[in-house]
Amino acid sequence: MFKPVFFLSFLIICLSGCQSAEEKTSDITIKVSFSDTISSKAQDGRLLLMLSANDEDEPRFQINSGLNTQLIFGMNVNEMAPNVEQTFDASDHGFPYVSLADLPSGEYWVQALLHIYETFNLSTGHTVKLPMDNGEGQKWNRSPGNLYSKPFKVTIPENGDLEIAVVMDQVIPPIEEPEDTEWIKHIKMRSEKLSEFWGRDIYLGAHILLPKGFQEHPEAKYPLMIFHGHFPNDFGGFRTVPPDPNLEPDYAARFKVSGYNIIQQQEAYDFYKRWNEPDFPRFLIIEIQHPTPYYDDSYAVNSASQGPYGDAITHELIPYIEKEFRGLGEGWSRFLYGGSTGGWEALAVQVKYPEEYNGCFAACPDPIDFSAYVLTNIYEDENAYYYKSDHKMLEVPAHRDYLGQIQSTVRDENHLELVLGDKSRSGQQWDIWEATYSPQGKEGYPERIWDKKTGIINPEVANYWKENYDLRHILERDWDKLGEKLKGKINIYCGDMDNYYLNNAVYKMEEFLENTSNPYYDGEVLYGDRAEHCWNGDPKEPNHISRLRYNSMYVPKIMERIAESAPPGADLSSWLYP
C-alpha cells in the first residue's frame, strides 16, 4: 500500500479539488431539455453540457484531453422525457474544471448533447445500457440519432451567478452508406455468434478492394490482406483519378505539413497505379467494420463484456468474404497488418489464431506488454495517475511530441472519459482497453483496472489482463505450444519517440523474442529514430508519407513469406497473372 505521507498528500490535493465548488460563492445553474418536436419518447443516455471560450467550431467538436480543450460536464439520464429539464449545477462532474463553480468569468458558447443509450439483454444474463453504433464508428459528437442544441453565447459575471436554459432541438442525421464501384465492394453480414451474445442482430462489415483482372480471371483465387484499424467509413487510400486541381491546400498540424490533403490524394492515386502494374501481385485487401457499443472497433478478440468478436471475425466474416470474392481460404494465404489499435489487433489475432493467418505486420501497436501499459506497470505500480513518492505528487504523462513535450496526463485522459461516460462507456481509448481486457462485473459492465477518480490499481483485474491479453506474457508462457506455429510470422515496428510511449512495451517484447529458441521467432522488430506515432517500418520516408502506404509496403515481405511457407500443392499461380 501507499506510505502514509503519500496518501496524506494525495488526500489533500483530492479534497482541495473536490471542495472547490463548496468554497466558492458562485451559483451557476444550467437547465437542459429536448424538444418534443425532435423526439416524443423518453430517452436513456449520457447528457453532456459543453462550453467553449471561442466560436472557432461548435463546442462538441472542441473537446479533447490536450492543452486546447474546451469544457464539458456530464450526467446519466434515465427515461428523460421531452420538455422536462435536467439541471447542471456545481455538483456535476466536469473536465478540465471539476465543477461549474470553478469556471472563470467571461463569455462562453454553450451547447448540450444527449448521447443516447439502448438496452441490451446479454446472453450472460445481464441487462446493460450502451450507445449503439449508428454507422459513425462510435463518435459521441457525430452519432446519428443523438440530440443536440445549436451553440449560443452567454456571459458568466464576476460573481458567478447565472441561470440559463438550453433546449436541444436538433438531431444528428443518418450517414449514407458508401456505394460499390468497379474496384471497391462493400458487404455486411449478420453474425450468429455476436447476435446471440448481444441479444439482438449484430452485423459485421467490410470494404473489399478487388485486384486488377478480377472479372477477367474467374479461375483465379486470391490471398487475403487484412488491414486492421479504427472504423473505416470506406476503403481509404485508393483513388482512380489524379488529385483535384481545385483542392484548397490544408495544414496538418499533427505533421506540420502544408497541403497534406493534396499529398493524400496523390498517394491514393499512386497506389491505384501501382495496383495496376503488371508485376504487382494480385491480392484481395479488406478493411473491416466491427464497432461495438463500447468503441469504434472490438479489438478483434473475444472478450467478456464485448462478446466473441475474435471468433466472429475469423470464423464467420473472413470465410464469408473469401467465398464471395474467391479468396484462397487457407491460413497460409491470409496476412494481417495495421497501426496503433490495428497494430495490436494484427499481433493479437496472429497470436490468438496462430494457424489461421500466415504473418502479421504490427506497427506502433497499443501496449503489447502490460508491465509497460503506456508508462504504468499494472502489476507492480499501485497508482496509475501518480508516480510513487513520499513527499512529491508527480503525474504520469500520457502524450508527448518527438521532443518530449507533454500535452496530457493519464489522469487527464481518464477524467475526461469519466465525464463522457461512466461504466467504461465513454467510447474512448482507456475505456475500450477495459471493455476488451477486463472480466465482466456484477452489473454486466467491465471491471475497472483502476479507480477512475483516484487511479488506484486493482491487482485482481491486472492479473486477469495478464493471463488473457498481455501478448508478451502469453507468448512467453505458451512458446512451447505456439513457437512452431508463429515462426516467421511476427513483425513489429515502432518509433522510439512514439507519442503514447508505446515503444516501451515493444522493447520488452523484442527482448523476449530475441531470446526465443526451439524455435527462434525468426521475424523482425524495427524502430524509427525520433519517429512519432505511428511509424510502420519505412526508414526512408517520414510518418506522414509512410502511413499512407500500408497497402503496398509489406507486399514484398508477404510474397517472401508465401514462397517459403506455402504447403505442397498450394495455388501459387492462378492469382499471379500480369
Side-chain angles (χ1 to χ4, degrees):
M1 298 295 292
F2 292 113
K3 294 184 179 179
V5 173
F6 178 83
F7 251 136
L8 180 60
S9 299
F10 179 84
L11 189 61
I12 291 171
I13 290 177
C14 179
L15 289 178
S16 66
C18 294
Q19 291 178 348
S20 60
E22 298 176 7
E23 293 169 357
K24 293 190 175 185
T25 59
S26 60
D27 186 15
I28 299 176
T29 301
I30 301 179
K31 298 181 178 181
V32 180
S33 63
F34 66 86
S35 170
D36 58 12
T37 61
I38 57 171
S39 178
S40 59
K41 66 176 186 178
Q43 303 284 355
D44 299 331
R46 187 70 173 177
L47 185 60
L48 301 169
L49 173 68
M50 295 149 286
L51 298 95
S52 173
N54 66 70
D55 61 349
E56 296 172 4
D57 205 342
E58 294 182 43
R60 62 183 167 130
F61 300 132
Q62 297 194 65
I63 305 301
N64 58 72
S65 61
L67 296 172
N68 64 340
T69 187
Q70 297 301 317
L71 320 178
I72 186 167
F73 301 84
M75 68 167 70
N76 290 334
V77 291
N78 294 303
E79 298 186 350
M80 180 178 176
N83 305 318
V84 176
E85 293 180 328
Q86 303 291 322
T87 301
F88 283 90
D89 57 29
S91 65
D92 293 298
H93 188 66
F95 178 86
Y97 296 113
V98 174
S99 167
L100 281 169
D102 298 326
L103 265 62
S105 60
E107 292 184 341
Y108 294 89
W109 280 261
V110 178
Q111 185 174 39
L113 181 145
L114 178 60
H115 192 24
I116 293 174
Y117 291 169
E118 298 183 23
T119 299
F120 297 82
N121 297 306
L122 306 182
S123 63
T124 59
H126 300 94
T127 297
V128 295
K129 294 183 178 182
L130 292 162
M132 187 69 174
D133 181 79
N134 291 300
E136 84 288 355
Q138 279 297 1
K139 295 178 176 61
W140 61 269
N141 53 4
R142 300 180 184 274
S143 182
N146 279 353
L147 315 180
Y148 71 102
S149 65
K150 292 182 179 180
F152 63 93
K153 187 164 65 173
V154 300
T155 299
I156 297 179
E158 289 288 343
N159 64 9
D161 291 341
L162 180 69
E163 181 174 328
I164 59 172
V166 180
V167 178
M168 297 180 289
D169 57 4
Q170 307 291 311
V171 182
I172 299 176
I175 293 173
E176 292 186 9
E177 297 282 351
E179 296 183 358
D180 286 353
T181 69
E182 174 188 357
W183 294 97
I184 299 171
K185 307 300 180 183
H186 310 87
I187 63 102
K188 282 190 175 180
M189 60 153 288
R190 181 182 181 275
S191 166
E192 294 286 346
K193 298 178 186 295
L194 295 174
S195 298
E196 180 182 359
F197 177 84
W198 286 101
R200 64 166 67 185
D201 289 344
I202 298 293
Y203 292 84
L204 296 171
H207 312 305
I208 301 103
L209 177 63
L210 300 179
K212 177 187 176 183
F214 181 82
Q215 299 297 340
E216 293 78 12
H217 293 269
E219 78 287 352
K221 292 187 176 182
Y222 303 95
L224 180 67
M225 294 166 57
I226 304 157
F227 187 9
H228 276 290
H230 294 285
F231 183 90
N233 295 316
D234 202 342
F235 193 96
F238 188 87
R239 181 182 176 89
T240 59
V241 296
D244 181 356
N246 299 316
L247 187 63
E248 190 71 24
D250 67 0
Y251 178 74
R254 173 182 174 185
F255 305 113
K256 300 179 176 61
V257 173
S258 297
Y260 192 52
N261 53 345
I262 298 173
I263 293 172
Q264 289 175 304
Q265 289 194 1
Q266 184 63 54
E267 285 290 328
Y269 180 58
D270 289 346
F271 175 52
Y272 161 73
K273 291 188 292 183
R274 287 195 298 276
W275 193 241
N276 280 276
E277 290 172 354
D279 60 347
F280 197 94
R282 306 306 171 200
F283 291 95
L284 295 169
I285 303 180
I286 65 171
E287 297 182 6
I288 63 177
Q289 292 180 320
H290 47 118
T292 85
Y294 286 100
Y295 198 53
D296 68 9
D297 81 10
S298 68
Y299 272 66
V301 293
N302 298 344
S303 72
S305 295
Q306 297 195 110
Y309 274 91
D311 288 351
I313 292 168
T314 293
H315 298 310
E316 291 182 327
L317 179 63
I318 298 302
Y320 176 84
I321 292 171
E322 289 173 325
K323 180 180 179 181
E324 291 292 312
F325 297 96
R326 306 201 310 269
L328 285 161
E330 298 181 38
W332 68 267
S333 66
R334 299 177 185 139
F335 297 86
L336 304 152
Y337 58 99
S340 193
T341 292
W344 191 92
E345 290 172 327
L347 181 58
V349 170
Q350 183 67 78
V351 170
K352 297 280 187 178
Y353 304 91
E355 296 181 296
E356 299 293 336
Y357 302 92
N358 197 21
C360 72
F361 301 87
C364 53
D366 287 2
I368 52 179
D369 182 328
F370 297 153
S371 67
Y373 184 58
V374 187
L375 288 175
T376 298
N377 182 335
I378 67 170
Y379 311 126
E380 297 181 5
D381 294 340
E382 296 167 334
N383 193 291
Y385 296 169
Y386 301 94
Y387 290 103
K388 190 172 183 178
S389 172
D390 286 345
H391 305 290
K392 183 177 180 180
M393 296 293 291
L394 180 63
E395 284 195 45
V396 178
H399 185 279
R400 63 178 174 180
D401 66 14
Y402 77 102
L403 295 175
Q405 300 290 337
I406 307 302
Q407 279 79 45
S408 66
T409 67
V410 177
R411 185 180 71 93
D412 283 340
E413 295 185 354
N414 279 267
H415 282 192
L416 171 57
E417 290 191 5
L418 192 56
V419 173
L420 290 173
D422 61 355
K423 304 181 188 299
S424 305
R425 293 184 290 193
S426 71
Q428 305 299 302
Q429 187 61 76
W430 300 92
D431 276 354
I432 184 52
W433 285 336
E434 272 184 343
T436 303
Y437 308 147
S438 286
Q440 192 176 42
K442 293 180 180 180
E443 295 182 337
Y445 300 100
E447 291 276 10
R448 291 291 196 194
I449 182 63
W450 57 64
D451 185 287
K452 204 73 167 176
K453 291 184 178 179
T454 66
I456 297 175
I457 295 171
N458 184 329
E460 293 182 3
V461 175
N463 188 63
Y464 181 93
W465 284 30
K466 181 178 184 178
E467 296 303 321
N468 292 278
Y469 300 100
D470 185 319
L471 299 181
R472 189 209 58 78
H473 170 73
I474 291 170
L475 286 173
E476 184 174 21
R477 182 192 66 196
D478 299 337
W479 191 250
D480 60 334
K481 305 179 188 70
L482 293 174
E484 287 295 340
K485 299 175 182 179
L486 293 175
K487 181 180 178 181
K489 296 183 179 181
I490 296 176
N491 307 280
I492 306 172
Y493 312 97
C494 197
D496 63 12
M497 285 299 289
D498 186 277
N499 302 103
Y500 306 99
Y501 306 91
L502 300 176
N503 49 303
N504 292 354
V506 175
Y507 297 147
K508 291 174 177 283
M509 177 67 84
E510 181 190 26
E511 182 180 6
F512 161 72
L513 292 172
E514 289 298 338
N515 285 284
T516 53
S517 59
N518 299 317
Y520 175 64
Y521 87 106
D522 200 26
E524 68 178 5
V525 181
L526 300 177
Y527 302 94
D529 179 36
R530 291 182 293 178
E532 294 183 289
H533 192 73
C534 189
W535 189 78
N536 56 11
D538 188 340
K540 298 179 180 178
E541 298 290 346
N543 271 13
H544 74 278
I545 297 296
S546 63
R547 69 189 294 268
L548 303 176
R549 297 180 178 178
Y550 274 100
N551 289 325
S552 58
M553 66 183 301
Y554 301 129
V555 167
K557 296 177 181 181
I558 289 175
M559 291 300 293
E560 290 178 12
R561 179 68 190 159
I562 288 176
E564 69 185 24
S565 65
D571 178 1
L572 300 178
S573 59
S574 73
W575 49 279
L576 282 178
Y577 53 82

